[in-house]
Amino acid sequence: PPTRPGPRRERDAHGHAVPSCRYMGGREFELLTQGTQPPEELEIEGALSDVLTRDIMRLPSVVEGSGPFPNHRGRWTNEPQSAAQTHAAASLYAAMMTACSLALVGADGPILVEGPFARNKLYLSALANCAGRDVHIAEGGTPTGTAERAAVLTDMSLPNVERTKF
């Protein structure tokens, strides 16, 4: 049977080993939804029951050679029939892959989401359920929040973190 790779050991600014799993969820989501117009949130919510009922699911990996399943070639169990189904299934896929990546590196505590995924309510809810942890979003969900949120690594307080749980 295929084996899961262990977490990578990258180094922090002080040279200490830190676990890392290179999963580019935003890039995979972009590839999965490429060529579709972003549906309204209500359309995605409405498509969710179809996705679950019809077993529309993406199996890893979209980008081979990365993420928690680098040696797996991804595929759809059933093809989505609409943009809303595609976005719903891609959101669930990204949430499960994120939760798996966090589990592989032994992450714990609340999860802070910034960037475009901070505006994806289905992703946030699914991530909270898959990871079994609180999920918080960076205020505004700005796509440029990565550098701002790096302050978290230095234990700096972030007064602009929205404490919304999903």
Side-chain angles (χ1 to χ4, degrees):
T3 60
R4 281 191 184 163
R8 297 175 57 94
R9 295 291 175 188
E10 304 295 340
R11 301 283 173 184
D12 67 12
H14 302 286
H16 302 138
V18 293
S20 171
C21 182
R22 294 183 184 176
Y23 168 61
M24 297 179 64
R27 177 70 178 133
E28 290 203 333
F29 185 85
E30 179 182 293
L31 289 170
L32 288 172
T33 60
Q34 189 172 1
T36 64
Q37 289 293 332
E40 296 293 324
E41 194 69 39
L42 286 175
E43 290 178 84
I44 295 170
E45 287 177 23
L48 180 59
S49 63
D50 289 339
V51 166
L52 297 173
T53 302
R54 292 190 52 239
D55 192 30
I56 299 171
M57 182 170 48
R58 179 66 188 201
L59 301 177
S61 287
V62 175
V63 177
E64 293 180 41
S66 70
F69 304 98
N71 300 320
H72 291 238
R73 184 174 183 168
R75 65 176 178 84
W76 287 103
T77 57
N78 289 304
E79 290 283 331
Q81 302 300 308
S82 69
Q85 287 180 358
T86 300
H87 280 257
S91 297
L92 295 176
Y93 169 82
M96 289 186 281
M97 292 289 283
T98 302
C100 184
S101 296
L102 291 170
L104 280 173
V105 299
D108 61 2
I111 300 168
L112 177 64
V113 178
E114 53 84 29
F117 274 139
R119 294 186 300 264
N120 185 326
K121 291 181 181 173
L122 177 54
Y123 169 81
L124 296 168
S125 178
L127 177 58
N129 282 296
C130 290
R133 297 166 45 198
D134 291 343
V135 172
H136 303 280
I137 59 172
E139 188 175 290
T142 62
T144 60
T146 303
E148 296 167 10
R149 304 305 175 236
V152 171
L153 299 175
T154 64
D155 292 327
M156 294 171 64
S157 64
L158 291 175
N160 61 338
V161 171
E162 199 171 300
R163 295 295 174 194
T164 305
K165 292 183 184 179
F166 287 87

